[in-house]
Amino acid sequence: MLNIPCPHCGPRSEYEFQFGGEPATRPIPASEVSDAQWSDYLYARTNIKGRNRELWCHSGGCGQWFLMERDTVTHEIFRTETIGSGTIGA
Amino acid sequence: MTGTRIPAIGLIDRGQKLSFRWQGETLTGFAGDTLASALLANGVRVVGRSFKYHRPRGIFAAGAEEPNAILDVWHNSQNDPNARATLVPLQDGMSARAISGWPSLNFDAFQGLDLLHRFLPAGFYYKTFMAPDWHRYEPNIRRMAGLGTAQKTPDTRHYETRHAQVDVLVIGAGPAGLAAARAAAAGGRSVMLVDENPQFGGSLLWGDATINGQIGTAWARDTTASLAASGAQLLPNTTAFAYYDQNTIGLMEHRSHAASGWAEDRLWSVLAAEVVLATGAIERPLVFPNNDRPGVMLASAVLRYLRQYGVLVGKSVVLTTNNDSAYETATALLAAGGQVAVADVRAEPGPVANAAQAAGARVYAGSVVLNTGGLGGIAWADIGPADATSQRNATSRIGCDIVASSGGWTPVVHLFSQSGGKLRWDETLSAFLPNTGRQAHQLAGSMAGWQSLAECLASGHKAGGSHGEAPVTAIARLPTPLQPYWHVPITGARQWLDLQNDVTVKDVGLAARENFQSVEHLKRYTTLGMATDQGKTSNVNGLAVMAELTGRTIPETGTTTFRMPYTPVSLGAMAGMRHGDLYAPKRQLPAQSEHDAAGALMREYGGWMRPACYPLPGETEAQAVQREARLVRTNGGLFDGSSLGKIEVFGADAAKFLNLIYYNEVANLKPGRLRYVLLLRETGIIYDDGVIARVAEDRYLLSPSSSHTAGVLAMLELWHQTEYPSMDVAFHDVTAAWATIAICGPRVRDILATLATDIDLSDAALPHMAMAHGRIMGIQARVARVSFTGERSYEISVTAGHGAALWRHLLAQGPTPYGIESLSILRGEKGYILIGTDTDGLTMPDDLGMSGPLRAKKVDFVGKRSLTTPDGARPDRRQFVGLLPEQPGFVPMVGTHAITDGPTRRSLGWITTAAHSPTLGRSFALGMIEGGRAHMGETVTLFDRGKTSRATICSPVFHDVEGAKLHG
Ligand SMILES: [Zn+2]
């Protein structure tokens, strides 16, 4: 049971959160994207073993989606931030 | 039978006698006893039969490490099928039985297996019961092995889950843990102190100790009292069974004496800023021939039964040891009037042994027990040189009733290891000690390798932050070093390593020869260290034997991973309150009481309790559904649609945003109008359908299906927050705020006429797919013309609290109330889909014949791009069609496949909805059929569980094809 620091509410129990997977950038305009690019956007994830960036939602609290940098092996949480603040990952 | 209470020794309450039953016989014990100490006090020797060889086994230890005394315990009509007798506080009226031994404990029908032990080596079961399938043999093998049987009646105990956060969690309330808790509390930090035993004090409860001038037990009691006074949370009978990430600890608290109405068992999740691990150490046995007889025990257990419970387990005791600690047992036994002989493998046992000898113990230096004998227990032990290679090397046979051993101490590093900490092998102690930790914890006492009481207290005081005065005790003289000794070097005789799993030195030898030399292979091949005790007394000995046989050091051989839980945790405690009605609480309709009054058959649909139908007296469910489905079209129907979702969407960009989300065009919808819409996933798959109403320019009301409301809301939030965050739009789920009652059918306008309302309900003002707001009978209300049955229909919504009154009023006008099962026929007759029933995880809009928006809608929307992928355009996609069975009385089962004709049969799709229609007077079905729309009028073969029939592919609309009734 992890304690996850919601960027809006502070540290809260893992039970209150929902995992959203690796964020994927939606290719636009979609109508001009190749089938292969679209398929990558839908299904291809890096699935990194180690330090990774993920989308999470504080669904049992403020309801806000945010970004989290986390180690998928040790479960260490390095930081979380609101979407658009642009320091996690690139 | 032996086993006697010694007056005036022990911490039991002799004023409080407790009566309990063992194998049907009534025995007595005292408050403060464990089930194990009470059994020993009554002279009970055999408590079970061994797992594999069915040899008699007795109580071996006094704590969590007990391998043999796993009993079936009943108390207050509740059962613990595999209780560890050493951890069960004795209670009046308790009843215990052995879980093994058939037909009886003293005569086991399978004891002959023991004579065949040569043919039952390690891996015997793996090698023998392979063909054709292990599962064929498993039930019988399990019955022979003897495991507890779960009770057949419901578990009426209360379980709770608790969460806590503390500054310092101290695990283990022995001298080190108490010192740590005391220092931490003195430092002003919030403290929680837990211990698996009913009383705090750990080894002070049976050790010979003086702290701050007080007897150890008195210091433990006073320290506990001052901790309680300082506000520390004290949890006795509580096992810290797991160490998770981020310093989260799982605690299992047993409260057998809990007040009525309280939870007996509580599972805690504790988040601690710092953890102090003061988990102590477990004595490991010396391994010698025939060391599994009832009456063979750990030296520390003999001491503990005597000092803590006043039970002298035997009058004449042979001890065998490789270290000093067994001598405290020797002197305590002598003081209580016992006779003691000690076989010490060390050539020069040293001053502690000399002192015991002076007190009356016979000490045999350089010696070990070479054999034991006796019928169903111990009558004698042979002592001989520690390097003996044959049992004939024995020099003395000593009459005795107990043989107790000490092979050194194994620090309890389980939690430390679970936390991610790494271990190192310590040559001096012959033990694995904590090396590098990974989480915020301090180590104290014997788990950290400290041996003397002074060192344990000092390490505890430091671990707690060194606040306040350190507890003081006399510094003990330095012990004579332990001499590693792993088994007697005799090959012929059986020497047990793991009593719980019947693993001997010979079995480890076989594993070594068959190349199962890695420690993980050794464990699985021989079962050494498996099952409920997880090798607490056997792992190090087994590892050492493997190291010796393969010519490696112990650290080279490795140690197995310590897994949670430390001791078993009951499933009931894991479930907590999440069972029965609370497992997944059901939502109730605002007019629930009215449905009950109308005799509704209630059933769960998507988390809501909703009427399936309203059977009349004497009517079956099927009859009720047919009647309702018929009367809705001929008389008029009344339906509670309150569970349908209601999500308000508002903001300047509401129209623009929803148009980017929904499959259908919604921006051009006029205020006051409704539209049926589909919602896709980005993969183009249909996620939900529903009706969207435009309330005003900047305001919409979405009505997703009942079970998808939360999901749709989450999806809107996700897209808004992550993809279109700059848009001015917000969402609000108001499902629970409104009751929605639908009336439909031929008499609907007569019924509407009875409502006092300021809403213009004329067709000109309120046509099909329109909505109006106002008041009905003085109550805030809105009326929407939307139909799920194909009949002229009005959905009336009022604030939830008025739902029952509205239902009552409408019902009094004579419409037929109908439920979900009847609606399923009505919507099926019209070819209206039900998401998740007629569609699945592959269905795209065109499969339902709804391709218009893809062609017409210019803006991008969720899932649009996926509809033009090669998969989305495949010509053989399954399409939604109607199916008319050739036999009008035959209702095919949902899931029935349509198959190709000819020698190689292949599925073309399947039936998704099927029913008998009272309106059509025959059966009908809906289904998804490969390229179905191109095959209208053709017949296909239906196949269900070996039986075939024929059906004609047709339009999915069976009733009122023109839709005239919507306006009729
Ligand atoms: Zn939050």
Side-chain angles (χ1 to χ4, degrees):
Chain A
M1 285 140 285
L2 299 173
N3 227 22
I4 294 175
C6 170
H8 304 281
C9 311
R12 306 290 305 171
S13 164
E14 179 188 339
Y15 288 123
E16 296 178 5
F17 293 85
Q18 181 191 338
F19 177 59
E22 281 175 36
T25 305
R26 189 171 203 250
I28 45 173
S31 56
E32 291 167 24
V33 171
S34 73
D35 286 341
Q37 277 175 297
W38 189 252
S39 168
D40 271 359
Y41 155 65
L42 288 180
Y43 303 112
R45 297 292 179 270
T46 54
N47 201 19
I48 289 166
K49 179 183 177 184
R51 204 166 173 138
N52 208 357
R53 60 197 280 266
E54 297 168 339
L55 268 175
W56 285 76
C57 182
H58 192 192
S59 47
C62 62
Q64 297 301 295
W65 287 90
F66 60 91
L67 286 165
M68 179 154 98
E69 198 176 11
R70 186 181 72 102
D71 193 304
T72 55
V73 179
T74 65
H75 296 170
E76 185 179 350
I77 295 168
F78 301 104
R79 58 197 166 137
T80 57
E81 69 182 27
T82 56
I83 285 168
S85 28
T87 60
I88 288 182
Chain B
M1 286 216 183
T2 57
T4 2
R5 293 276 187 188
I6 304 297
I9 301 186
L11 305 173
I12 47 170
D13 179 0
R14 285 184 164 81
Q16 210 183 324
K17 266 196 179 175
L18 306 177
S19 170
F20 71 105
R21 289 166 81 80
W22 164 246
Q23 301 287 78
E25 188 189 345
T26 302
L27 305 174
T28 54
F30 297 107
D33 263 327
T34 61
L35 184 54
S37 68
L39 287 169
L40 286 168
N42 283 278
V44 172
R45 223 354 103 73
V46 181
V47 295
R49 288 275 171 169
S50 74
F51 204 69
K52 198 166 139 189
Y53 302 121
H54 294 258
R55 284 168 65 95
R57 291 282 163 79
I59 293 168
F60 184 74
E65 69 273 26
E66 171 61 37
N68 292 336
I70 310 296
L71 306 179
D72 182 39
V73 174
W74 286 83
H75 184 57
N76 288 339
S77 308
Q78 295 299 314
N79 173 234
D80 185 344
N82 292 298
R84 204 167 300 268
T86 50
L87 293 182
V88 176
L90 187 70
Q91 293 188 72
D92 202 53
M94 192 171 249
S95 173
R97 288 195 159 273
I99 56 171
S100 50
W102 183 87
S104 81
L105 197 50
N106 292 319
F107 176 77
D108 186 314
F110 298 113
Q111 64 193 355
L113 281 173
D114 190 37
L115 301 173
L116 304 174
H117 68 85
R118 267 174 239 291
F119 309 105
L120 293 172
F124 169 76
Y125 291 94
Y126 297 144
K127 288 171 179 167
T128 311
F129 298 106
M130 282 173 62
D133 180 5
W134 154 255
H135 295 103
R136 213 160 122 177
Y137 307 101
E138 191 186 359
N140 280 319
I141 289 171
R142 285 201 188 282
R143 184 160 60 243
M144 282 171 63
L147 295 167
T149 311
Q151 71 185 56
K152 302 279 190 291
T153 51
D155 185 345
T156 57
R157 278 166 287 203
H158 294 279
Y159 300 99
E160 263 177 27
T161 311
R162 303 206 72 182
H163 297 259
Q165 290 192 29
V166 291
D167 294 336
V168 185
L169 171 64
V170 181
I171 301 170
L178 284 169
R182 189 172 167 270
R189 292 190 286 174
S190 64
V191 174
M192 182 185 266
L193 175 62
V194 307
D195 195 283
E196 67 191 354
N197 296 292
Q199 259 183 301
F200 283 178
S203 62
L204 298 176
L205 301 177
W206 63 87
D208 187 8
T210 308
I211 302 171
N212 289 354
Q214 282 183 292
I215 298 290
T217 48
W219 180 82
R221 189 191 56 225
D222 290 357
T223 303
T224 304
S226 67
L227 280 169
S230 77
Q233 289 189 78
L234 307 179
L235 298 178
N237 292 311
T238 301
T239 303
F241 65 85
Y243 199 136
Y244 301 104
D245 293 304
Q246 291 185 340
N247 253 20
T248 303
I249 309 291
L251 303 179
M252 180 72 237
E253 182 191 11
H254 299 287
R255 302 194 306 170
S256 45
H257 297 288
S260 147
W262 288 35
E264 283 100 333
D265 282 358
R266 300 200 293 196
L267 194 76
W268 291 73
S269 169
V270 180
L271 189 65
E274 191 165 68
V275 170
V276 175
L277 292 170
T279 46
I282 288 171
E283 193 170 35
R284 56 174 178 259
L286 268 193
V287 175
F288 52 88
N290 282 321
N291 60 336
D292 77 321
R293 287 179 181 280
V296 174
M297 299 177 76
L298 291 172
S300 60
V302 171
L303 177 66
R304 191 168 168 188
Y305 284 117
L306 178 58
R307 288 253 180 84
Q308 195 176 346
Y309 305 103
V311 179
L312 185 64
V313 293
K315 293 196 172 56
S316 176
V317 178
V318 168
L319 288 160
T320 187
T321 186
N322 65 349
N323 68 91
D324 274 4
S325 65
Y327 289 98
E328 189 174 353
T329 306
T331 47
L333 287 168
L334 291 166
Q339 293 179 345
V340 179
V342 187
D344 192 326
V345 299
R346 295 173 298 183
E348 289 173 31
V352 174
N354 296 341
Q357 195 152 21
R362 279 174 291 166
V363 177
Y364 298 79
S367 298
V368 73
V369 169
L370 295 187
N371 202 1
T372 66
L375 201 62
I378 300 276
W380 51 262
D382 279 350
I383 289 180
D387 58 359
T389 51
S390 161
Q391 284 177 316
R392 285 192 295 275
N393 298 143
T395 50
S396 339
R397 174 163 293 189
I398 299 176
C400 58
D401 41 20
I402 291 287
V403 175
S405 77
S406 176
W409 292 81
T410 302
V412 178
V413 295
H414 298 63
L415 292 176
F416 173 81
S417 174
Q418 286 175 20
S419 77
K422 294 279 177 282
L423 305 174
R424 66 177 177 86
W425 178 254
D426 185 279
E427 289 291 346
T428 315
L429 297 175
S430 278
F432 283 103
L433 288 180
N435 192 16
T436 47
R438 205 171 65 77
Q439 299 202 40
H441 49 221
Q442 303 285 331
L443 312 177
S446 54
M447 76 79 59
W450 301 109
Q451 287 185 276
S452 72
L453 178 61
E455 289 167 320
C456 287
L457 289 170
S459 67
H461 186 67
K462 184 159 171 274
S466 302
H467 304 284
E469 293 277 314
V472 181
T473 185
I475 305 292
R477 58 192 153 189
L478 231 51
T480 306
L482 166 149
Q483 179 183 324
Y485 188 86
W486 304 112
H487 65 102
V488 180
I490 293 174
T491 45
R494 273 192 288 176
Q495 308 186 46
W496 268 264
L497 289 164
D498 184 332
L499 293 171
Q500 186 161 72
N501 296 294
D502 256 347
V503 180
T504 63
V505 172
K506 201 178 73 175
D507 293 322
V508 176
L510 183 68
R513 287 200 301 283
E514 299 197 343
N515 207 28
F516 291 99
Q517 297 180 357
S518 112
V519 67
E520 298 292 346
H521 284 152
L522 168 68
K523 174 171 177 171
R524 280 148 191 88
Y525 189 62
T526 63
T527 69
L528 176 88
M530 301 241 260
T532 65
D533 77 352
Q534 290 285 298
K536 290 188 178 68
T537 56
S538 64
N539 274 344
V540 173
N541 286 336
L543 196 61
V545 170
M546 179 54 90
E548 179 189 289
L549 291 171
T550 53
R552 294 174 295 179
T553 64
I554 288 171
E556 279 168 359
T557 310
T559 181
T560 53
T561 311
F562 292 94
R563 296 179 206 285
M564 47 198 76
Y566 175 67
T567 48
V569 175
S570 65
L571 292 174
M574 286 282 185
M577 298 179 80
R578 297 182 296 273
H579 62 91
D581 288 343
L582 295 179
Y583 176 67
K586 310 287 184 293
R587 300 181 74 176
Q588 297 211 327
L589 298 169
Q592 166 78 42
S593 57
E594 300 306 312
H595 303 307
D596 288 342
L601 175 65
M602 302 300 289
R603 196 173 283 160
E604 190 226 320
Y605 296 92
W608 289 82
M609 290 306 290
R610 304 174 71 184
C613 58
Y614 299 78
L616 297 173
E619 212 176 34
T620 65
E621 179 181 343
Q623 288 166 340
V625 168
Q626 288 292 314
R627 173 181 51 78
E628 290 172 12
R630 176 171 50 82
L631 287 176
V632 167
R633 298 212 191 281
T634 56
N635 173 45
L638 182 65
F639 181 79
D640 192 336
S642 303
S643 64
L644 285 171
K646 301 163 201 82
I647 298 173
E648 288 192 17
V649 180
F650 45 94
D653 294 322
K656 191 177 166 196
F657 176 77
L658 289 176
N659 222 28
L660 290 166
I661 300 298
Y662 276 93
Y663 175 62
N664 309 69
E665 174 67 47
V666 295
N668 66 2
L669 193 62
K670 292 192 168 48
R673 294 304 160 114
L674 313 177
R675 188 163 289 163
Y676 174 78
V677 290
L678 293 179
L679 180 62
L680 312 185
R681 294 283 197 196
E682 190 74 308
T683 51
I685 305 301
I686 299 168
Y687 173 59
D688 194 35
D689 68 349
V691 169
I692 184 165
R694 190 164 200 173
V695 180
E697 275 301 322
D698 61 349
R699 199 174 188 92
Y700 286 80
L701 181 67
L702 314 181
S703 185
S705 36
S706 300
S707 56
H708 282 159
T709 307
V712 169
L713 182 65
M715 185 172 163
L716 295 172
E717 287 287 0
L718 176 66
W719 279 89
H720 180 222
Q721 290 179 33
T722 63
E723 200 63 34
Y724 306 116
S726 60
M727 286 200 185
D728 174 13
V729 61
F731 320 98
H732 188 204
D733 182 357
V734 294
T735 306
W738 295 89
T740 300
I741 313 291
I743 48 171
C744 70
R747 291 185 47 240
V748 71
R749 272 175 290 194
D750 300 340
I751 297 170
L752 287 176
T754 68
L755 294 173
T757 179
D758 58 357
I759 302 170
D760 184 350
L761 297 171
S762 70
D763 280 1
L766 190 66
H768 182 57
M769 298 305 267
M771 174 188 267
H773 296 258
R775 303 187 85 78
I776 291 177
M777 293 164 18
I779 302 162
Q780 187 193 350
R782 62 170 177 256
V783 180
R785 279 197 62 187
V786 58
S787 178
F788 297 99
T789 58
E791 301 294 318
R792 171 184 280 265
S793 183
Y794 295 79
E795 266 188 16
I796 305 171
S797 297
V798 293
T799 46
H802 294 102
L806 177 63
W807 174 275
R808 256 194 316 274
H809 173 85
L810 294 171
L811 184 65
Q813 313 312 316
T816 303
Y818 63 102
I820 301 288
E821 299 302 328
S822 318
L823 176 64
S824 180
I825 295 179
L826 294 162
R827 62 103 193 152
E829 290 167 346
K830 287 292 295 178
Y832 295 159
I833 59 157
L834 186 58
I835 297 287
T837 295
D838 297 299
T839 67
D840 58 26
L842 294 172
T843 312
M844 290 178 165
D846 182 59
D847 303 338
L848 302 179
M850 299 185 197
S851 55
L854 178 60
R855 290 192 299 273
K857 195 171 167 182
K858 292 293 167 253
V859 300
D860 194 7
F861 55 84
V862 175
K864 184 179 188 182
R865 177 64 183 86
S866 294
L867 301 178
T868 56
T869 56
D871 188 61
R874 247 177 42 229
D876 61 347
R877 293 188 64 85
R878 282 182 292 271
Q879 294 172 331
F880 183 62
V881 293
L883 291 148
L884 269 183
E886 207 162 64
Q887 302 292 324
F890 172 64
V891 180
M893 192 174 223
V894 168
T896 295
H897 281 256
I899 57 170
T900 56
D901 294 315
T904 52
R905 295 195 292 206
R906 184 175 71 78
S907 173
L908 294 166
W910 47 81
I911 285 174
T912 56
T913 293
H916 179 269
S917 160
T919 302
L920 303 172
R922 58 155 301 142
S923 62
F924 74 97
L926 302 172
M928 298 294 293
I929 302 294
E930 201 174 285
R933 289 199 295 268
H935 298 282
M936 293 290 172
E938 297 174 20
T939 61
V940 286
T941 301
L942 301 182
F943 180 89
D944 173 32
R945 288 168 294 180
K947 290 207 174 75
T948 56
S949 60
R950 303 281 293 172
T952 306
I953 298 174
C954 60
S955 155
V957 186
F958 296 92
H959 173 70
D960 184 28
V961 179
E962 310 77 36
K965 291 200 158 208
L966 285 169
H967 313 283

